[in-house]
Amino acid sequence: MEFLWVDFLGKPVWMWLFFLAVVAFLLILDLGLLHKNSKEIGMGESFAFSAFYITLGVAFGGWIWWLSGSQAALEYMTGFVIEKSLAMDNIFVIAMIFSYFAIPRAYQHRVLLFGILGVIILRGIMIAGGAAIVESYHWVLYIFAAFLVFTGIKMLLSADKEYDVSTNPVLKFVRRHLPVTEKLEGDHFVVRKADETTGRVKTYITPLLLALIMVEFVDLVFAVDSIPAIFAITTDPYLVYTSNIFAILGLRALYFALSALIHRFAYLKYALAVVLVFIGSKIFIADMLGLTKIPPLLSLGITLGILAAGILGSLWATKDRGNKIEAK
């Protein structure tokens, strides 16, 4: 059993196996037991599962504190909070994708769950690659930081613009090169049916698979923002990956909990944009102040403060809309 103590990306193998075992258990619990059949998930159940995943993510941060100390735990928690917040922005786009393809709520959880499986693999590859680059070329962190500042400013300038699914180049490519059914075929991603012109049986992809492809593509785009954001906080691959995945695991529950309330978060994108600018500028500010890095507790406090201001400000500004919905 000596291999369990072998170093892998800065941590013993057993720590990676423990984390992957927790993730596997949660996916089996979700996919194999609780939601193996297509059904609409209610808001109450969604809030309960979202609270469960958040609690689990915070508890994992406590385990890291016990194992590796307060600084590692604070870096993990900062990454977890940022990734969870960016996931909320992801929800806006996912809601537009489901609306565009007219995906019923009963089938949406299936798309999101398979989407999360893809995310776990994709982000693992991206984080491993990013860690290798940062270890060999530390100056790449400055490029990440500058990119985050640029992305934050760009998000500020375009926060009021909606995502147009129909213009996505990936969607256009798939529709141009693959046969797609005109309507949903239950909860199937792929079906075999006769071609209306030739009568020959062909394999078709359904709008449900198109929605899944778009969700994966959107997460890839968001990962380009979120992964550099966490590398700007810590270069420990274990902290980067675990904070990323724990935040993403609750995305499905968070989506169903918040999709009906999206209109209430009017200023959230602005808050997220400011967070990206802050995280990106930290490395330059630390250099100007002669610090190795901005203290993790201060970073976490400022991040939470910005997000809280954005969420509370949104809820206050849109309270009339909430009252109208409750009245109905």
Side-chain angles (χ1 to χ4, degrees):
M1 301 295 285
E2 292 182 2
F3 80 95
L4 293 175
W5 300 95
V6 173
D7 183 271
F8 178 72
L9 294 177
K11 290 291 186 290
V13 168
W14 74 264
M15 288 183 65
W16 290 99
L17 293 177
F18 172 73
F19 170 70
L20 293 176
V22 171
V23 172
F25 171 76
L26 291 172
L27 290 175
I28 292 170
L29 180 68
D30 202 333
L31 180 61
L33 298 177
L34 299 177
H35 301 111
K36 60 182 178 181
N37 298 318
S38 297
K39 65 175 183 177
E40 184 172 340
I41 300 175
M43 187 173 291
E45 182 182 355
S46 300
F47 273 114
F49 270 102
S50 188
F52 167 73
Y53 278 115
I54 291 173
T55 301
L56 202 61
V58 173
F60 192 82
W63 181 71
I64 288 178
W65 189 312
W66 174 73
L67 201 66
S68 304
S70 60
Q71 178 162 328
L74 288 170
E75 290 175 351
Y76 163 85
M77 283 305 303
T78 305
F80 177 74
V81 169
I82 290 173
E83 186 59 44
K84 201 72 175 177
S85 304
L86 289 171
M88 292 178 69
D89 192 32
N90 206 348
I91 286 172
F92 293 122
V93 180
I94 291 173
M96 293 177 190
I97 292 171
F98 285 153
S99 176
Y100 178 80
F101 291 108
I103 306 298
R105 287 178 67 87
Y107 300 151
Q108 289 175 8
H109 83 279
R110 178 174 170 82
V111 174
L112 289 173
L113 198 52
F114 279 98
I116 288 170
L117 289 172
V119 167
I120 290 172
I121 297 170
L122 180 64
R123 296 211 177 189
I125 295 171
M126 293 179 69
I127 288 169
I133 293 172
V134 169
E135 186 177 357
S136 300
Y137 310 99
H138 187 74
W139 51 265
V140 170
L141 285 175
Y142 290 94
I143 297 177
F144 283 172
F147 175 74
L148 288 174
V149 173
F150 170 77
T151 302
I153 294 172
K154 184 179 177 182
M155 187 184 291
L156 273 174
L157 298 176
S158 61
D160 58 342
K161 296 180 181 178
E162 290 192 351
Y163 180 73
D164 187 354
V165 180
S166 63
T167 61
N168 187 280
V170 173
L171 178 60
K172 290 181 178 180
F173 177 86
V174 173
R175 278 183 162 162
R176 190 181 306 120
H177 292 87
L178 295 174
V180 182
T181 60
E182 293 183 3
K183 60 182 182 178
L184 291 170
E185 300 287 341
D187 63 355
H188 298 292
F189 290 121
V190 178
V191 294
R192 295 272 295 171
K193 58 188 299 186
D195 186 287
E196 294 181 357
T197 305
T198 64
R200 295 174 58 188
V201 176
K202 293 173 56 177
T203 300
Y204 289 81
I205 66 173
T206 70
L208 200 67
L209 182 56
L210 285 181
L212 175 59
I213 292 171
M214 290 301 298
V215 167
E216 294 285 9
F217 175 78
V218 164
D219 182 77
L220 177 62
V221 173
F222 275 88
V224 173
D225 294 337
S226 64
I227 290 177
I230 298 182
F231 270 115
I233 296 165
T234 176
T235 55
D236 185 330
Y238 189 78
L239 299 181
V240 174
Y241 188 61
T242 54
S243 61
N244 241 268
I245 300 306
F246 264 116
I248 290 298
L249 279 173
L251 178 62
R252 183 194 60 80
L254 188 65
Y255 170 81
F256 287 107
L258 297 181
S259 59
L261 303 173
I262 285 176
H263 63 286
R264 298 295 308 278
F265 297 97
Y267 301 136
L268 179 60
K269 284 191 176 183
Y270 295 99
L272 291 174
V274 174
V275 167
L276 288 179
V277 172
F278 165 67
I279 295 299
S281 62
K282 280 198 319 156
I283 189 170
F284 300 110
I285 294 173
D287 281 355
M288 287 188 292
L289 296 177
L291 302 173
T292 304
K293 61 165 58 177
I294 300 295
L297 185 58
L298 179 61
S299 294
L300 179 58
I302 293 174
T303 300
L304 286 172
I306 294 170
L307 293 171
I311 292 172
L312 293 175
S314 296
L315 295 176
W316 174 262
T318 60
K319 63 181 185 298
D320 291 337
R321 299 183 205 173
N323 292 336
K324 288 178 182 178
I325 291 175
E326 290 175 6
K328 291 181 180 178

